[in-house]
Amino acid sequence: MEQERKVEPIGRELVRRLLPRRDPEGHKGTFGKVLCLCGSVGYTGAPVFASRGAVRSGAGLVFLGVPESIWPVAAVKSDEAMPFPLPEAEGRLSLLAEETIRRRAAGCDAVLLGCGLGRGRQTDALVRRLMDLPQPLVLDADGINALEGHIDVLDSRRGLHTVLTPHDGEFVRLGGELSSGDLSQGRTAAATEFAHQSGAVVVLKGPGTVVAGPDGRCRVNTTGNCGMAKGGSGDVLSGVVLALLGLGMDAFD
């Protein structure tokens, strides 16, 4: 019962209160520069959904790094986001992309990693090596899956802003042998415990999405419906979170 009393519902009034006010005299440099690192051969929609989510959520400039073989597809689909090609291996980002990514990230206010990345030895290793980026970081989908069995790399992000956006399957996979990866205790309790142990904000997606902070704060989304249960919704969510981090919002909010 004590845990239940700490949970705050997310509704229209809370969202209106939290959203940052937009400077009427601002320009594109005022509203954040963000970087999406997404996509692979066979997953060309995810990077576009994520970058559009960031654009439409108010980011001033949105850069989109994708494997070079799908760059033409992303370029055709992108009007406002700015896609660029990165080195790849078997249709997925390779370790050779690291230097370019770090250079691009240095000029940005927040980074998204994971939507449609696919799984491969080099791609997984690249994700883990990028955990030391100093910018606020959103990890989704295969960005989360790449940490399976390597959850200790999150220790390097303590003191930095990190948001994980798993669905239940990704959450259990990420938790490994940790009790916090066990949903039998309930989604709210599991997300809260995992956020405390990892030092990251956890957005456990699903009916009644749970948002848990490492400091013990917890909110549950009271909105949405089963029409959102389809491919692409999570990519859009990640882009929204990325844009708001780029605007300087607190990671939990």
Side-chain angles (χ1 to χ4, degrees), residues 9 15 24 43 48 58 68-69 85 96 98 120 129 136 142 150 153 174 200 203-204 211 214 218 226 232 234 247:
V15 172
Y43 294 95
V48 175
E68 55 190 348
S69 62
L96 292 176
E98 182 179 1
R129 291 177 68 161
D142 286 326
H150 300 272
V153 301
L174 178 63
V203 181
L204 184 55
V211 181
C218 185
C226 59
L247 285 166

Side-chain angles (χ1 to χ4, degrees), residues 155-236:
D155 290 339
S156 65
R157 296 205 56 78
R158 291 191 179 274
L160 301 173
H161 295 297
T162 309
V163 179
L164 308 175
T165 60
H167 56 57
D168 286 1
E170 292 163 345
F171 179 76
V172 172
R173 195 176 302 124
L174 178 63
E177 297 301 318
L178 291 176
S179 61
S180 56
D182 179 9
L183 287 171
S184 64
Q185 60 182 308
R187 299 175 80 251
T188 300
T192 302
E193 182 181 348
F194 189 87
H196 174 70
Q197 292 189 19
S198 67
V201 172
V202 175
V203 181
L204 184 55
K205 299 181 292 192
T209 292
V210 178
V211 181
D215 57 1
R217 290 182 292 169
C218 185
R219 294 176 178 146
V220 174
N221 195 342
T222 61
T223 70
N225 58 64
C226 59
M228 299 174 68
K230 54 186 173 183
S233 295
D235 305 317
V236 174

Side-chain angles (χ1 to χ4, degrees), residues 34-38 46-57 59 62 110-116 136-144 163-167 170 203 205 209 228 232-246:
V34 299
L35 173 61
C36 303
L37 300 167
C38 307
V48 175
F49 281 135
S51 58
R52 282 182 186 169
V55 166
R56 297 189 183 191
S57 299
V62 179
V111 177
L112 164 62
L113 183 56
C115 301
L137 181 65
V138 183
L139 277 179
D140 180 50
D142 286 326
I144 295 172
V163 179
L164 308 175
T165 60
H167 56 57
E170 292 163 345
V203 181
K205 299 181 292 192
T209 292
M228 299 174 68
S233 295
D235 305 317
V236 174
L237 171 67
S238 296
V240 172
V241 174
L242 176 69
L244 296 177
L245 284 174

Side-chain angles (χ1 to χ4, degrees), residues 28-35 59-63 107-111 246-247:
K28 61 188 177 184
T30 305
F31 302 116
K33 301 175 183 178
V34 299
L35 173 61
L61 291 168
V62 179
F63 300 97
C108 291
D109 300 297
V111 177
L247 285 166

